[in-house]
Amino acid sequence: MRDTGIELKRFLDEAECGAYDLPPMQRALCVRPPFSVRLIDSLYRGYRVGSMLIWEPPVGQRPTAGRYQELAGRPRWWILDGQQRGTSYAGAFGRRPAWLPEELWTSMGGPDLEVAVRFTCAGGIRFRTHQPGRARHVRLADLVTGAGGEVRLLLEEAGYRPTDALVEQALELRAGLLRYVLPIEWLAADWPDAAENFIRRNPSLKPEERSLCSLSIAFEELQREHIDALERTARDAGFASALDRRQLNLVLQDFLPPEARREQGRWARGSAVSQAMERTEQSVTQVIGFLHRHGITGDALLWSPPVARVLCALFDRFPQAAASPFTWRWLAHAAAGQFYPGGPYSARPRQDVRGVLTAASFGEAAALLAGHSTPGPVLRLSTEELVRPSASKRRLLGAAGTLYAMACAHGVCGPVMDISDPALVFPDPRMRPQLLWPTAGTEVSLAAWALLSEDSAECIRAAGGWGRAVFEHLDVPPGRLAAHQLTAPLGGPVALPVEAQLKQRAEAMVDAINNFLDTVGPLAGPDSEL
């Protein structure tokens, strides 16, 4: 390994033209504009910014593709450590590094990394996130490409009086930044040594990222073609939290052979990783469809993310479970009994997953899962259980929210149509939990939320909350209101206070939930339902 720095200008040019790429085992990139600003400020002040580790592979051992795409011409160098710094260097100066496709660069907020400079009256220099049109902010990308006369014009357009001293200060800043020598460590090694260097250079990786990076050494396309795509699918379906990278990795680990799990993944057979990933994709897709059919259209309505992991194991081992009445009835029992408390690494879901995957039959797996519920009918809810102190912070509506969504999806309240568009009927995923009284500070009560489209929610927000004005504007029929446990609001001096409306609606919602739980009944095994 050798330490040889390169000037920032050279790095920017080479990053933009495709001389560098990211190896397949790199973790997911997270870019933050404040980090980009601090990085440029550190360069200006001459602070140490930390070295990047760049791999120079032998010609025959270059990866066939990078972390995010295949680059024509096969890049010569690969950034093992420092992708966030390298990406921020380029983004700060308005450049897109070639290792990030244009669509991904835009969606992840790459253009927001641009930095601007502000010259103070006292002769100081301040760096800020670039905001087009903001007075007294000069875009770095313009500053470093302009000649002397153009710099004077840039300063004038930004609202400065371009004195000779100010122009000279701007030119010195530009020259100093572009001449800054970035600390680089160059590693000339074969693929196994490069991979080991990456793992050891990143001891603070989150467990899921460490596992995925290790597996990507054995199966290069794991993250680029599978995990990233599945994460986008889950996010688009409303499950950005319940099926995030951490949860997806846990499901993948469940399907891997024991000798390929966690950090041992780097020595796994690529075929074993590929097969486990295929099972992960199939089961996650099934779980998303199952949850949507039964009213769980997003994170806010799923009280416990580990439930998705258990369902993945069940649908993988016994595909018929997705269509069995047992499964949705078990989900209702699990919500009412609030199974799986705690985080994603708690013991119960892990034990249930192992039990399901080793069960000899669907009946055996069902008996295992049913063992958590109390014998007899599901416990009924009270209005107090519709209040969750954490709902306003995390937008989670708790077990009561799960049960209410399931009740609506199962038609206990009749067809639940959107109040502004009757063509939308729940569980249409376009109907999500929306606040009825956005400014009333009532986020903690499930009764303050309704299953509505974004258009309906916008009408309510524009009116300051659900009331007579919205009701008359949308002309909602009584039957459609009743399905949402709403009544026609009174107007004028006899209008009910929000607190009274919340209490009234909470009682109606609890009745709907309990009526649904009555239809669920005791939890019996699948054989009794055939």
Side-chain angles (χ1 to χ4, degrees):
M1 189 180 293
R2 59 187 175 87
D3 294 351
T4 305
I6 59 175
E7 287 189 348
L8 176 61
K9 184 180 186 308
R10 174 188 161 187
F11 176 80
L12 294 175
D13 292 340
E14 291 176 339
E16 192 173 30
C17 74
Y20 303 95
D21 203 348
L22 306 174
M25 70 278 196
Q26 268 284 10
R27 59 183 164 178
L29 177 63
C30 179
V31 294
R32 297 184 179 89
F35 177 80
S36 186
V37 171
R38 289 196 302 271
L39 196 63
I40 298 303
D41 187 68
S42 296
L43 299 188
Y44 164 67
R45 298 177 186 280
Y47 295 164
R48 180 79 174 178
V49 293
S51 61
M52 299 170 64
L53 177 61
I54 296 181
W55 176 40
E56 298 179 284
V59 175
Q61 295 193 34
R62 294 178 183 175
T64 56
R67 171 63 178 80
Y68 297 105
Q69 64 181 348
E70 296 184 29
L71 281 179
R74 303 286 290 278
R76 179 179 176 184
W77 299 301
W78 300 77
I79 301 175
L80 285 179
D81 186 48
Q83 68 157 327
Q84 184 171 354
R85 272 165 289 165
T87 302
S88 296
Y89 289 140
F93 289 90
R95 304 198 191 191
R96 176 180 64 85
W99 59 76
L100 291 171
E102 187 169 354
E103 182 179 356
L104 178 60
W105 175 250
T106 302
S107 66
M108 73 191 323
D112 297 334
L113 295 177
E114 279 206 61
V115 173
V117 59
R118 181 177 184 274
F119 300 94
T120 70
C121 298
I125 288 176
R126 299 287 183 270
F127 296 99
R128 299 286 187 271
T129 299
H130 172 56
Q131 298 178 14
R134 185 168 182 177
R136 296 183 174 273
H137 278 64
V138 179
R139 181 173 173 248
L140 277 187
D142 296 331
L143 179 64
V144 299
T145 57
E150 293 171 336
V151 168
R152 185 179 296 273
L153 181 60
L154 277 175
L155 292 169
E156 186 174 349
E157 290 176 344
Y160 292 100
R161 186 166 62 88
T163 63
D164 291 344
L166 183 58
V167 172
E168 183 65 25
Q169 185 183 23
L171 291 172
E172 289 178 359
L173 171 64
R174 178 181 70 178
L177 288 176
L178 295 180
R179 286 199 305 264
Y180 187 95
V181 177
L182 300 177
I184 305 288
E185 296 177 70
W186 302 87
L187 176 67
D190 58 16
W191 172 242
D193 285 343
E196 187 64 27
N197 264 274
F198 170 79
I199 294 295
R200 296 192 181 193
R201 283 275 294 226
N202 292 276
S204 61
L205 281 176
K206 296 179 180 178
E208 66 273 12
E209 292 295 353
R210 182 173 291 274
S211 297
L212 292 173
C213 291
S214 295
L215 289 168
S216 298
I217 295 171
F219 184 49
E220 289 187 6
E221 57 264 45
L222 174 67
Q223 298 192 86
R224 181 183 66 250
E225 297 182 8
H226 298 281
I227 291 292
D228 291 351
L230 193 56
E231 186 180 21
R232 287 193 296 271
T233 297
R235 182 175 62 246
D236 292 343
F239 298 106
S241 175
L243 290 168
D244 61 6
R245 293 178 72 83
R246 176 174 58 181
Q247 295 291 341
L248 293 177
N249 174 63
L250 289 173
V251 175
L252 175 61
Q253 297 292 322
D254 292 335
F255 297 151
L256 284 167
E259 65 274 11
R261 292 173 184 164
R262 298 176 179 84
E263 292 186 39
Q264 300 177 92
R266 72 187 86 169
W267 296 294
R269 289 180 294 108
S271 59
V273 182
S274 176
Q275 291 170 7
M277 188 65 234
E278 183 178 355
R279 293 169 64 185
T280 301
E281 290 168 324
Q282 291 175 350
S283 63
V284 166
T285 302
Q286 281 188 298
V287 167
I288 290 174
F290 170 83
L291 292 175
H292 276 192
R293 286 195 302 275
H294 295 285
I296 317 302
T297 56
D299 287 324
L301 295 171
L302 185 63
W303 88 100
S304 177
V307 170
R309 179 186 177 188
V310 176
L311 288 172
C312 282
L314 185 64
F315 294 169
D316 173 78
R317 184 73 178 89
F318 305 104
Q320 68 270 33
S324 171
F326 166 82
T327 310
W328 69 259
R329 292 174 62 240
W330 168 80
L331 182 63
H333 274 262
Q338 298 195 40
F339 301 172
Y340 310 125
Y345 299 106
S346 55
R348 179 180 283 185
R350 183 170 63 249
Q351 293 168 354
D352 283 353
V353 165
R354 290 174 181 171
V356 166
L357 291 176
T358 56
S361 66
F362 182 26
E364 183 180 329
L368 168 74
L369 295 176
H372 299 311
S373 63
T374 56
V378 193
L379 295 175
R380 298 172 69 84
L381 266 66
S382 64
T383 54
E384 289 75 17
E385 293 176 86
L386 266 61
V387 177
R388 280 179 56 83
S390 63
S392 60
K393 295 181 180 179
R394 301 181 61 195
R395 294 181 64 85
L396 295 177
L397 301 182
T402 299
L403 292 169
Y404 176 69
M406 293 185 72
C408 292
H410 282 255
V412 170
C413 315
V416 179
M417 303 177 187
D418 183 55
I419 61 173
S420 66
D421 183 0
L424 296 181
V425 182
F426 194 76
D428 189 306
R430 289 171 291 181
M431 295 174 69
R432 299 280 176 87
Q434 306 280 1
L435 275 172
L436 289 169
W437 294 279
T439 61
T442 53
E443 296 90 298
V444 295
S445 174
L446 178 61
W449 300 76
L451 299 167
L452 304 171
S453 68
E454 185 58 37
D455 287 344
S456 295
E458 182 57 37
C459 288
I460 291 172
R461 285 193 293 268
W466 173 253
R468 188 73 187 179
V470 180
F471 169 72
E472 292 179 347
H473 173 70
L474 296 178
D475 192 21
V476 189
R480 205 185 309 169
L481 281 180
H484 289 276
Q485 293 73 51
L486 289 169
T487 57
L490 300 174
V494 294
L496 282 177
V498 170
E499 291 76 12
Q501 294 183 65
L502 279 172
K503 182 179 179 181
Q504 186 181 77
R505 186 164 185 259
E507 292 172 352
M509 292 175 78
V510 165
D511 287 342
I513 292 171
N514 287 330
N515 289 338
F516 167 67
L517 293 177
D518 289 341
T519 68
V520 172
L523 191 59
D527 293 339
S528 65
E529 299 166 358
L530 297 178

